[in-house]
C-alpha cells in the first residue's frame, strides 16, 4: 500500500528564515504527491502537487516542493518564512482504488509549523 | 468558487445517540469522502463514494455508515455514538477520472461525545 511519513511533529523557524517540512513516501509505481495546509479551525487547503515533470514544483503562498526519486522524498520549502505560515501541514500520496479510476489519498500524520517573529 | 460545506462546526452528543453529519458540495463532483482527524494520527479515511448510492469502506469504517441519495450530498452516520468517536470530521470531494488529483475539503465538524 502507498504511504507517506512526516518525521517531524513540529518545526519551529524564525520569520525571514528558510523553512523545510519533510516528507518521505513509499509507493508502487509512479508517485502522485501532494501538500495540504490546515489553519486553525479550518479544513485542509491544497498547496501543490507533483504528478510528473520538473522535480521542483511551485505552489500557493510562495511554497515549493522538491521531488527526489532516489531519496523517495517530497520536502516542502519556502525561502523566507512568515508568521502567517504557522499552520499544520500534511503530505499525501494518491492511490487508485481497486483498478478503477477513483483516486484516494493517504495522508501523513502532519507537521505543526510555528514561525515566530 | 469551489465550495464544500458541512452542517455543523461543533456538535456535542451523548453516548448511544445516533448522529448525522451532513456534507454538501456545489461543484458537481462524483467523488466524496469522509475522514476523521486526530492529533498525531493525521487524516484517516472512513468511507467514500464515487457515485450516487455507491459507497466503499475506507480504512476505519467500524461504527460508521454513510448515505448518498443525491450527487451533492454525502452523509456520515454514527449509529450509536461512543466516546472514542470524539474527533474532527472532514468531508472532501473531487471530480471523476484518472486525472482528478485534488480533493476539496469542507471546514470540518468537531464532534464531542460525552
Amino acid at each position: 500500500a502507498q504511504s507517506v511519513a512526516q518525521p517531524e511533529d513540529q518545526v519551529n523557524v524564525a520569520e525571514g528564515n528558510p523553512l523545510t517540512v519533510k516528507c518521505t513516501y513509499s509507493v508502487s509505481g509512479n508517485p502522485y504527491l501532494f501538500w495540504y495546509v490546515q489553519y486553525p479551525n479550518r479544513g485542509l487547503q491544497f498547496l501543490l502537487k507533483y504528478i510528473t515533470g520538473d522535480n521542483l514544483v511551485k505552489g500557493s503562498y510562495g511554497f515549493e516542493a522538491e521531488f527526489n526519486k532516489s531519496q523517495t522524498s517530497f520536502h516542502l520549502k519556502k525561502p523566507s518564512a512568515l508568521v502567517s505560515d504557522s499552520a499544520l501541514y500534511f503530505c499525501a500520496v494518491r492511490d487508485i482504488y481497486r483498478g478503477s479510476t477513483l483516486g484516494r489519498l493517504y495522508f501523513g500524520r502532519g507537521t505543526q509549523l510555528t514561525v515566530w517573529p | 468558487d469551489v465550495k464544500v460545506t458541512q452542517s455543523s462546526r461543533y456538535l456535542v452528543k451523548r453516548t448511544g445517540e445516533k448522529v448525522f453529519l451532513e456534507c454538501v458540495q456545489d461543484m458537481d463532483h462524483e467523488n466524496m469522502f469522509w475522514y476523521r482527524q486526530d492529533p498525531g494520527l493525521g487524516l484517516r479515511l472512513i468511507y467514500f463514494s464515487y457515485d450516487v448510492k455507491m459507497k466503499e469502506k475506507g480504512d476505519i469504517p467500524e461504527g460508521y455508515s454513510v448515505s448518498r441519495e443525491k450527487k451533492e450530498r454525502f452523509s456520515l452516520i454514527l449509529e450509536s455514538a461512543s466516546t472514542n468517536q470524539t474527533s474532527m470530521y472532514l468531508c472532501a470531494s473531487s471530480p471523476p477520472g484518472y486525472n482528478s488529483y485534488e480533493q476539496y475539503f469542507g471546514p470540518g465538524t468537531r464532534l464531542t461525545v460525552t
Side-chain angles (χ1 to χ4, degrees), chain A residues 9 32 34 36 38 40-46 49 51 88 90 94 96-98 100-110, chain B residues 9-10 31 33 35 37 40-43 45 48 50 56 58-59 88 90 94 97-103 105-108 110:
Chain A
D9 292 334
Y32 299 149
F34 304 80
Y36 284 81
Q38 185 180 36
N41 299 314
R42 304 280 294 276
L44 272 67
Q45 296 179 34
F46 169 78
K49 67 186 177 207
I51 305 300
L88 187 56
F90 290 97
R94 184 175 186 263
I96 301 301
Y97 173 69
R98 277 195 254 170
S100 75
T101 59
L102 173 65
R104 59 155 294 175
L105 296 177
Y106 289 90
F107 286 87
R109 296 186 174 188
Chain B
R9 292 300 302 274
Y10 300 93
N31 305 324
F33 307 82
Y35 297 89
Q37 180 183 2
L41 296 178
L43 275 72
L45 183 64
F48 58 102
Y50 51 90
E56 292 289 343
D59 302 319
M88 170 71 92
L90 293 168
S94 71
Y98 192 81
N99 292 325
S100 69
Y101 302 115
E102 297 149 45
Q103 292 184 11
F105 284 83
R110 188 168 293 282

Side-chain angles (χ1 to χ4, degrees), chain B:
Chain B
D1 209 7
V2 164
K3 199 162 186 183
V4 179
T5 57
Q6 295 183 229
S7 52
S8 305
R9 292 300 302 274
Y10 300 93
L11 208 54
V12 180
K13 295 292 182 180
R14 293 189 183 274
T15 301
E17 278 192 79
K18 191 169 186 176
V19 181
F20 293 86
L21 303 182
E22 305 285 340
C23 175
V24 177
Q25 50 94 4
D26 65 359
M27 297 161 285
D28 202 33
H29 285 170
E30 271 74 5
N31 305 324
M32 297 188 74
F33 307 82
W34 275 107
Y35 297 89
R36 65 177 282 176
Q37 180 183 2
D38 300 289
L41 296 178
L43 275 72
R44 293 179 292 168
L45 183 64
I46 306 171
Y47 267 97
F48 58 102
S49 168
Y50 51 90
D51 202 351
V52 175
K53 297 192 185 296
M54 305 303 288
K55 59 186 180 184
E56 292 289 343
K57 293 180 180 179
D59 302 319
I60 52 164
E62 296 78 18
Y64 304 94
S65 62
V66 290
S67 172
R68 193 160 180 209
E69 297 296 320
K70 292 185 177 182
K71 189 177 186 180
E72 67 271 17
R73 188 179 298 269
F74 191 35
S75 302
L76 180 69
I77 303 159
L78 286 65
E79 297 291 344
S80 177
S82 63
T83 54
N84 63 13
Q85 292 178 310
T86 292
S87 186
M88 170 71 92
Y89 290 88
L90 293 168
C91 175
S93 72
S94 71
Y98 192 81
N99 292 325
S100 69
Y101 302 115
E102 297 149 45
Q103 292 184 11
Y104 299 87
F105 284 83
T109 296
R110 188 168 293 282
L111 172 67
T112 302
V113 182
T114 61

